[in-house]
Amino acid sequence: GFGIKLGTIIRPFKYSPFKVGLAVHTPTWYNLSSYSYADIQGPYGDFYDTRDYELYGDELCTQTRFNSPWRFSASASYTIGAVFAFNAEYEYTDYASTQLFYSDGVENTVMNEHTEENFTGQHTLRFGVEKTFGSFYTRFGYNYQTGGYKDDAYKAIPINSVQTNTDYTNIKSTQNFTCGIGFRGDAFYLDAALLYSTQKADFYPFDDPELQAAQLTRNLVKGMMTVGLRF
């Protein structure tokens, strides 16, 4: 697949460190190939085996075209000397614009209509602050992301589907809080960060839009550290 990412950074005031960023990511246009086979065995040998290429060729090779969603972002940053930096960013991803096509370019209307009915645009906000104290750095960050599903989204399983799993989860909002410290020496550097993440979700055991959802909250705490030596 291939896609295009375009962006610009604008400094609107000549003597000010204030900057504005704008970016757009086109869909990534994929050509996908899926390979599968069927093998039926019995007490007297193999009755059916599509792995025999001379007999079946590409019979069970499925080729599709997939377009990922559009993505737009805007950001702003400001610095005070070399001791303070602030950055804010807003991003919008239009998951409802995701599209699927057959290999000949004909639109898969069933899947695309299902996507439009159940997915929506996702909003993401990011904020970050860094303050330096000589060779030491302190950092704080916040990330808020809405879910990409509509409130009444549900999993539809076709009658002729081979799926056996009926449960599904609609992810709602996600919040991430981070704090960190850093050190920069002549030859040695260190970065450490602590992440706290909390996410809301609706869980359904069956593909029934009238079923009451179970409210889930997922909490995660993660610590990370990087140590380096320059020579």
Side-chain angles (χ1 to χ4, degrees):
F2 70 94
I4 301 173
K5 298 180 180 180
L6 300 174
T8 183
I9 298 176
I10 303 170
R11 190 172 182 174
F13 308 108
K14 184 176 181 179
Y15 298 106
S16 173
F18 176 71
K19 301 182 186 70
V20 176
L22 299 171
V24 56
H25 297 185
T26 70
T28 299
W29 294 279
Y30 291 99
N31 285 324
L32 305 177
S33 296
S34 240
Y35 296 91
S36 58
Y37 73 89
D39 182 13
I40 302 176
Q41 298 181 357
Y44 304 106
D46 293 350
F47 292 97
Y48 185 76
D49 189 349
T50 60
R51 288 174 291 186
D52 189 338
Y53 186 81
E54 293 182 359
L55 290 178
Y56 300 99
D58 290 332
E59 184 178 305
L60 294 183
C61 173
T62 303
Q63 294 182 330
T64 56
R65 298 180 183 180
F66 171 73
N67 297 347
S68 65
W70 284 85
R71 182 174 297 177
F72 308 90
S73 67
S75 63
S77 66
Y78 188 80
T79 58
I80 299 177
V83 297
F84 177 85
F86 171 80
N87 184 77
E89 182 180 9
Y90 167 75
E91 182 178 282
Y92 176 76
T93 304
D94 186 15
Y95 281 107
S97 66
T98 304
Q99 291 185 311
L100 191 67
F101 299 86
Y102 296 105
S103 58
D104 57 2
V106 177
E107 181 182 359
N108 189 331
T109 55
V110 175
M111 289 299 299
N112 292 342
E113 288 176 0
H114 184 68
T115 298
E116 292 179 4
E117 292 173 358
N118 290 280
F119 288 85
T120 185
Q122 184 179 67
H123 305 272
T124 303
L125 291 173
R126 303 183 183 95
F127 300 94
V129 177
E130 181 178 86
K131 178 70 171 65
T132 63
F133 300 90
S135 298
F136 292 89
Y137 298 75
T138 56
R139 306 179 183 103
F140 298 92
Y142 174 73
N143 180 308
Y144 176 79
Q145 188 174 68
T146 63
Y149 299 95
K150 294 182 180 179
D151 291 337
D152 58 349
Y154 70 97
K155 180 179 180 179
I157 301 178
I159 296 177
N160 61 345
S161 174
V162 296
Q163 288 183 253
T164 58
N165 57 322
T166 60
D167 61 287
Y168 61 99
T169 303
N170 291 345
I171 297 175
K172 301 298 183 180
S173 63
T174 302
Q175 296 187 79
N176 295 310
F177 303 86
T178 61
C179 62
I181 58 172
F183 173 79
R184 293 290 182 275
D186 294 335
F188 174 81
Y189 66 90
L190 178 146
D191 291 291
L194 184 66
L195 166 69
Y196 171 72
S197 178
T198 178
Q199 183 183 80
K200 303 291 185 181
D202 290 343
F203 173 79
Y204 297 85
F206 304 104
D207 60 329
D208 184 351
E210 304 299 327
L211 191 65
Q212 185 68 33
Q215 308 294 321
L216 302 181
T217 300
R218 300 168 176 170
N219 296 317
L220 172 68
V221 178
K222 182 188 295 186
M224 294 162 283
M225 179 180 291
T226 301
V227 178
L229 184 66
R230 300 185 183 92
F231 56 89

